[in-house]
Amino acid sequence: MSDTMIEVAGLQKRFGDNTVLRSIDLRVARGEVVALIGPSGSGKSTLLRCLNLLVVPDGGTVRMGERRFDFGGGDALPGTGALAKFRATTGMVFQQFNLFPHRTALQNVMEGPLTVRRMAKPQAEALARELLDKVGLSDKAEQYPSRLSGGQKQRVAIARALAMQPEMMLFDEATSALDPELVGEVLGVMQSLAAEGMTMVIVTHEIAFAREVADRVVFLRDGVIVEDGPARQVIDTPRQDATRAFLSHFHRQREG
Amino acid sequence: MYQWDFGILWGYRWLFVNGLWVTLAFTAAIVLLGLAVGLFSGLLRLSRFAPLRWLSQAYVEVFRCTPILVQLVWFYYALPILAGIEMMATTAAVLALSLYGGAFYSEIIRGGINSIEAGQSEAALALGMTPNQAMRRIVLPQALKRMVPPLMNQSIIQLKNTSLVSVLAVPDLLYQGQAAAHDSYRPLEIYTLIAVIYFVVLFPLTLLVGRLERRLARAD
Ligand SMILES: Nc1ncnc2c1ncn2[C@@H]1O[C@H](COP(=O)(O)OP(=O)(O)O)[C@@H](O)[C@H]1O
Ligand SMILES: [Mg+2]
């Protein structure tokens, strides 16, 4: 299929004798927004990190466009250069922001273009200012991360990832570390990215947001995809008992 | 009651000046060489290849777990026999003190790099940097800031350790003081002055380290 952005098949990952992912098959179409939900420890972060090979799988294949990596077949693992090139085409946003504290907001956003894309400084700066503007932070360009609120940090982190002009964005609980009143500003940025047609895989506990913004919801439990379908259908009328149990627990928690 | 006579010190002033000069030059040499060795060993210790890590650890432990005085004597008397080379006292002293300091620097550098949260290099790798770029651009600059106070502390200890080279007849401050003491029969005045000179050199440095530490504590 020509409109496939990324496809993984038979993906497996173990940490020691803890098997975290058991044969995951997942396809994300170009422009699609997929929300990945599931209990804590179910392997959501690990799966997301396998999509940009920040975690190297033990088995299965990861295919993105022309590039295809096979794992566990006795082939040599991809070299650091190949991995870096691959990762440069996806953006990742972390729960803890992971901004570079020794760089200003602007320098954080310029870092990828300068170091990885070897862009000239004036272009990199113009691009970074444009992206900070896009996430509503042009006035914070010269601030160090320690002077920013959590919501502002996360928006800088999104701008930093976008500066690589990625084909796909990965979000790992981007709002879980935020005070409740700051969640909205970050979700707003994510929503407008989705509306622009960005391909996104979002690990989230914001079920309402997933229902609203995602095209598809994938429910993961114990390293297995239990349910995968259109967002509203999975959330409103889940087919599997496990999904229903997880979502109902979730509603209770929200209301309680 | 002992009759102090600090006036006799004046006659030996050039001895002290020369001795202090040798001590400072020695310190500069062993700090720079030690830092180079320490950085190399510290990075080896973080290598993906286990044998390189073992090599680095073996080096660090050998030099940390034997007395520096024994190392000095061993480098001067034993190493030349083993290696079949002539070695001047200064060469042996520089080698031994640099490797000794390097072992401690290595641990400081390894600890400083490890103290940077994994999320920092993950964010750098996720942008598409190679592990080397992530280390150079993101991890090392942050780690260096944290390492500066302990590296300076270790360098202060290194300056004091140079006094041990006098056992190999390297003419440092202490060695010249011993010569003056023999000559003048006034060891009390002379060793008092030697202690004062070390103190005057080192005390401002310890104050500086303390200030840096407080500033870094505030910055975090
Ligand atoms: N780097 C790692 N080393 C060892 N175990 C890990 C590592 N990363 C994750 N795990 C384990 O894998 C399991 C799934 O973790 P994770 O993917 O973070 O789940 P989730 O994001 O769904 O909470 C957990 O049991 C966790 O302890
Ligand atoms: Mg997680």
Side-chain angles (χ1 to χ4, degrees):
Chain A
M1 271 182 278
S2 61
D3 64 344
T4 297
M5 174 59 74
I6 191 165
E7 183 167 22
V8 301
L11 203 68
Q12 295 183 31
K13 182 64 193 178
R14 284 181 302 276
F15 291 108
D17 45 16
N18 178 13
T19 302
V20 176
L21 297 178
R22 310 160 190 272
S23 195
I24 299 277
D25 299 316
L26 183 70
R27 192 183 81 87
V28 180
R30 190 173 294 278
E32 195 177 21
V33 177
V34 174
L36 201 53
I37 63 172
S40 160
S42 57
K44 305 182 296 296
S45 296
T46 306
L47 174 54
L48 200 69
R49 286 153 173 266
C50 283
L51 294 183
N52 68 351
L53 301 184
L54 205 52
V55 166
V56 178
D58 297 317
T61 62
V62 175
R63 190 174 66 78
M64 190 171 178
E66 301 295 294
R67 281 151 309 168
R68 178 196 165 104
F69 296 93
D70 291 283
F71 299 94
D75 301 347
L77 292 175
T80 53
L83 285 176
K85 275 214 180 66
F86 184 76
R87 292 186 193 120
T89 61
T90 63
M92 184 168 235
V93 176
F94 301 84
Q95 181 176 351
Q96 298 299 335
F97 328 126
N98 299 351
L99 287 183
F100 307 134
H102 59 308
R103 302 278 158 87
T104 62
L106 184 71
Q107 290 167 337
N108 264 278
V109 182
M110 288 168 66
E111 186 60 45
L114 285 180
T115 306
V116 179
R117 296 172 69 195
R118 307 257 172 232
M119 197 182 273
K121 214 164 184 175
Q123 275 104 298
E125 182 173 339
L127 173 64
R129 287 196 187 280
E130 187 186 311
L131 287 167
L132 283 176
D133 190 38
K134 182 184 171 116
V135 299
L137 290 173
S138 2
D139 56 328
K140 301 288 180 194
E142 320 304 331
Q143 298 286 344
Y144 282 90
S146 57
R147 307 294 299 272
L148 302 175
S149 74
Q152 292 168 336
K153 281 183 198 164
Q154 196 59 298
R155 286 186 283 152
V156 172
I158 292 173
R160 175 178 70 179
L162 290 174
M164 289 302 294
Q165 302 183 320
E167 297 180 41
M168 173 174 74
M169 287 283 285
L170 308 173
F171 293 85
D172 193 355
E173 298 198 29
T175 58
S176 294
L178 297 178
D179 292 335
E181 73 273 19
L182 302 178
V183 168
E185 63 190 60
V186 172
L187 291 182
V189 169
M190 289 166 65
Q191 184 155 21
S192 58
L193 271 180
E196 286 169 23
M198 175 63 82
T199 309
M200 297 167 44
V201 181
I202 302 171
V203 173
T204 187
H205 291 301
E206 301 286 339
I207 300 295
F209 177 78
R211 184 181 178 283
E212 188 69 21
V213 174
D215 301 302
R216 253 167 73 208
V217 168
V218 172
F219 175 63
L220 195 67
R221 200 186 66 167
D222 296 336
V224 177
I225 292 183
V226 175
E227 190 156 353
D228 177 349
R232 288 178 188 212
Q233 183 248 294
V234 172
I235 287 169
D236 296 341
T237 54
R239 299 222 164 103
Q240 302 293 326
D241 291 341
T243 318
R244 206 169 299 129
F246 172 74
L247 287 170
S248 72
H249 164 77
F250 213 88
H251 292 312
R252 264 206 308 283
Q253 206 178 40
R254 299 235 92 187
E255 287 150 19
Chain B
M1 195 43 200
Y2 184 79
Q3 290 293 309
W4 291 90
D5 178 9
F6 283 103
I8 62 104
L9 296 174
W10 187 245
Y12 297 100
R13 61 190 180 282
W14 294 115
L15 228 48
F16 296 127
V17 168
N18 284 337
L20 179 61
W21 166 243
V22 169
T23 290
L24 292 178
F26 239 90
T27 305
I30 65 173
V31 164
L32 287 178
L33 279 172
L35 282 173
V37 173
L39 181 62
F40 185 69
S41 159
L43 291 175
L44 278 195
R45 191 67 184 274
L46 298 167
S47 161
R48 272 172 298 157
F49 303 105
L52 294 180
R53 293 199 299 272
W54 298 332
L55 189 72
S56 162
Q57 187 171 7
Y59 154 66
V60 167
E61 297 307 345
V62 163
F63 281 88
R64 276 206 307 190
C65 300
T66 50
I68 173 66
L69 190 53
V70 173
Q71 290 167 25
L72 273 170
V73 172
W74 192 88
F75 268 75
Y76 188 50
Y77 294 106
L79 185 61
I81 296 171
L82 279 180
I85 45 161
E86 291 272 330
M87 205 185 290
M88 291 194 316
T90 37
T91 315
V94 166
L95 261 181
L97 283 169
S98 301
L99 289 172
Y100 176 80
F104 287 89
Y105 291 138
S106 171
E107 287 295 285
I108 293 170
I109 289 166
R110 175 176 77 102
I113 290 173
N114 276 341
S115 78
I116 304 301
E117 313 75 76
Q120 288 292 306
S121 54
E122 282 174 1
L125 294 178
L127 281 177
M129 289 192 208
T130 63
N132 281 339
Q133 288 173 325
M135 178 60 75
R136 240 186 16 254
R137 305 258 326 157
I138 304 303
V139 177
L140 265 188
Q142 296 180 58
L144 273 175
K145 231 168 76 182
R146 291 189 197 173
M147 290 174 209
V148 166
L151 288 177
M152 284 184 68
N153 269 329
Q154 188 59 41
S155 301
I156 286 171
I157 296 173
Q158 284 290 81
L159 193 152
K160 291 192 285 187
N161 282 340
T162 59
S163 63
L164 294 168
V165 301
S166 57
V167 300
L168 302 187
V170 174
D172 76 322
L173 182 58
L174 180 60
Y175 182 85
Q176 299 290 32
Q178 284 164 347
H182 284 301
D183 187 63
S184 65
Y185 300 104
R186 285 275 174 189
L188 275 181
E189 287 84 348
I190 288 185
Y191 289 127
T192 303
L193 176 67
I194 302 265
V196 167
I197 295 176
Y198 276 112
F199 184 85
V200 165
V201 172
L202 288 173
F203 184 57
L205 289 176
T206 64
L207 286 182
L208 183 66
V209 176
R211 271 184 54 174
L212 278 176
E213 276 173 344
R214 280 192 300 279
R215 187 187 304 170
L216 283 178
R218 271 203 307 276
D220 276 347

